[in-house]
Structure formats: structure tokens, C-alpha cells
Amino acid sequence: MSTPPIVTTVKARTGGSVALKAGDHVSVVNVHGGQVVDSWAFPTSGEDPYEYMSMEHSRIHHYRLMFRPGDALVTNRLREILTFVADTSPGVHDTQCPACCDRSYRLYYETTDYHANCSDNLRAVMKANGRELAHVPTPWNLFMHTVVEDNAVFKDYPSKAEPGAAVTLRAEIDCLFAVSACPQDIIAINGDDAVPRDIELHHFPAA
Ligand SMILES: [Zn+2]
């Protein structure tokens, strides 16, 4: 990671991706702080075109609700796909919440017009990469400060990621890493002001 990274800016409310080879690193940089970044990874080789990084399998792999630097994330076929290498944020990254969708905004927040959402952002990213998407897997919600409190009830807090905070991952197999800068602007998960902001992907190729 000594050479300068290839930087991709992902605009607020939109999605982006980077194709990783095994051994590559990618940093998800919270440029302005406070932004939740839904993330997914899909193998680009293998027998199953619908294999995906699975929060359900990764949680049980470590028998914890959240992951720590050093943990490998696994697919629904229990193959290691990414390793969580480093984290300069406070370390809270939700693994429970499904990606927001137009329906969730209408149902929970009573919107009446189309609302940009992470599910459609992922669909657009996959389409741009010529990939089919069987369903929208539960994302790893980087920087999302949703926690389970003592009474087993979910509680949302604004992201505590500072400007420049970054999560760094290493690809264990060739994969497409996809993100959505979450467009949630109704409840305060994207910082105290609930304003979605740009993020960056810094790609460090292994070779
Ligand atoms: Zn979202």
C-alpha cells in the first residue's frame, strides 16, 4: 500500500464499485464524516454466479454481531472473500439492517414520491458491471451506528465517523466490491444533520 491509490469518488445518494483481485486492498473513506456506507462483495469467479458476502454467515463465523479488524468476512458458501484489515473510525458497523429501498421509505417514513435508496443503487452498480443480481443481500453497513441495546431492541444513533475515517479491507478472492452512500435524509443516521455526503474508495492493487 505504498503507491498512491486509485481513487473513486462515490457521490452522495449514489452507488459505486471497484473490481478487486485477490490481495488487493480497498479503503472506504468517510471524507466528510458521518456518512453510512452500505457495502457488498460478490465473487467474480467460482461455480455460483449468485454467491455473495453474507452477513448472516459472517456473524456466525465469528459468533458476534459485529466484526473487528483481523476478521474475515465470508460468503453464503463459507468462502473467505474480504478481510477487515484496519479501521480508523469508532468501530461500529451495523451487520443487521437490510438495505433501504423505496418501499421502506414509504412504509416507515410515509414518503409519497420516489426516494433514492441503497437497494436501487446496488442494482444500478451491478447492471453497470454486467452482473445479474438474484436479490439484494444484507449489506455490511459501514459506519452505521445502529446497535442492539440490553433489552434486545435496535437503537439508531448518528454515525460517529470523523472526517477522513476509513475502513480498509483486503480481497481474499477476486470480487466486485460495491457500495452505496446511503441516501437516508429523514432520520439522523448520516451524521447529526442527516445530510448524505460523498465518500471515496481508495483501491490499492497488489500488483
Ligand atoms: Zn440506505
Side-chain angles (χ1 to χ4, degrees), residues 19 66 86 91 112 122 134 141 163 206:
M66 290 196 191
T112 53
L122 177 65
N141 297 305

Short mmCIF file of all heavy atoms in Angstrom, two decimals, residues 19 66 86 91 112 122 134 141 163 206:
data_model
loop_
_atom_site.label_atom_id
_atom_site.label_comp_id
_atom_site.label_asym_id
_atom_site.label_seq_id
_atom_site.Cartn_x
_atom_site.Cartn_y
_atom_site.Cartn_z
N ALA A 19 -13.45 -3.31 -8.85
CA ALA A 19 -13.13 -4.73 -9.07
C ALA A 19 -11.81 -5.04 -8.39
O ALA A 19 -10.80 -4.40 -8.67
CB ALA A 19 -13.05 -5.02 -10.57
N MET A 66 -20.90 -7.99 15.45
CA MET A 66 -20.10 -7.03 14.68
C MET A 66 -18.70 -7.58 14.49
O MET A 66 -18.27 -8.47 15.23
CB MET A 66 -20.06 -5.66 15.37
CG MET A 66 -21.40 -4.94 15.32
SD MET A 66 -21.28 -3.19 15.70
CE MET A 66 -23.03 -2.79 15.86
N ALA A 86 -8.21 -2.86 8.77
CA ALA A 86 -7.95 -1.70 9.64
C ALA A 86 -9.16 -0.79 9.68
O ALA A 86 -10.01 -0.81 8.78
CB ALA A 86 -6.73 -0.93 9.13
N GLY A 91 -15.51 2.26 15.14
CA GLY A 91 -15.58 0.80 15.08
C GLY A 91 -16.97 0.19 15.10
O GLY A 91 -17.10 -1.02 15.25
N THR A 112 -44.10 9.95 -0.24
CA THR A 112 -45.07 9.71 -1.31
C THR A 112 -44.43 9.72 -2.69
O THR A 112 -45.01 9.24 -3.66
CB THR A 112 -46.20 10.76 -1.27
OG1 THR A 112 -45.61 12.06 -1.28
CG2 THR A 112 -47.04 10.59 -0.01
N LEU A 122 -27.47 -0.37 -5.58
CA LEU A 122 -26.75 -1.62 -5.85
C LEU A 122 -27.18 -2.21 -7.19
O LEU A 122 -26.35 -2.68 -7.97
CB LEU A 122 -26.96 -2.64 -4.73
CG LEU A 122 -26.28 -3.99 -5.00
CD1 LEU A 122 -24.76 -3.84 -5.03
CD2 LEU A 122 -26.70 -5.05 -3.99
N ALA A 134 -29.51 -11.70 -7.97
CA ALA A 134 -30.66 -12.55 -7.63
C ALA A 134 -31.54 -11.86 -6.59
O ALA A 134 -32.76 -11.92 -6.65
CB ALA A 134 -30.17 -13.89 -7.09
N ASN A 141 -23.06 -2.51 6.77
CA ASN A 141 -23.33 -1.08 6.82
C ASN A 141 -22.21 -0.36 7.56
O ASN A 141 -22.29 -0.13 8.78
CB ASN A 141 -24.69 -0.86 7.48
CG ASN A 141 -25.82 -1.46 6.67
OD1 ASN A 141 -25.96 -1.15 5.48
ND2 ASN A 141 -26.59 -2.35 7.27
N PRO A 163 -14.46 13.02 9.96
CA PRO A 163 -14.00 13.24 8.59
C PRO A 163 -12.66 12.53 8.36
O PRO A 163 -11.74 12.63 9.18
CB PRO A 163 -13.82 14.77 8.51
CG PRO A 163 -14.79 15.30 9.52
CD PRO A 163 -14.77 14.29 10.65
N ALA A 206 -2.63 -5.07 -5.59
CA ALA A 206 -1.50 -5.82 -5.03
C ALA A 206 -0.32 -5.81 -5.98
O ALA A 206 0.84 -5.87 -5.56
CB ALA A 206 -1.92 -7.25 -4.70
#
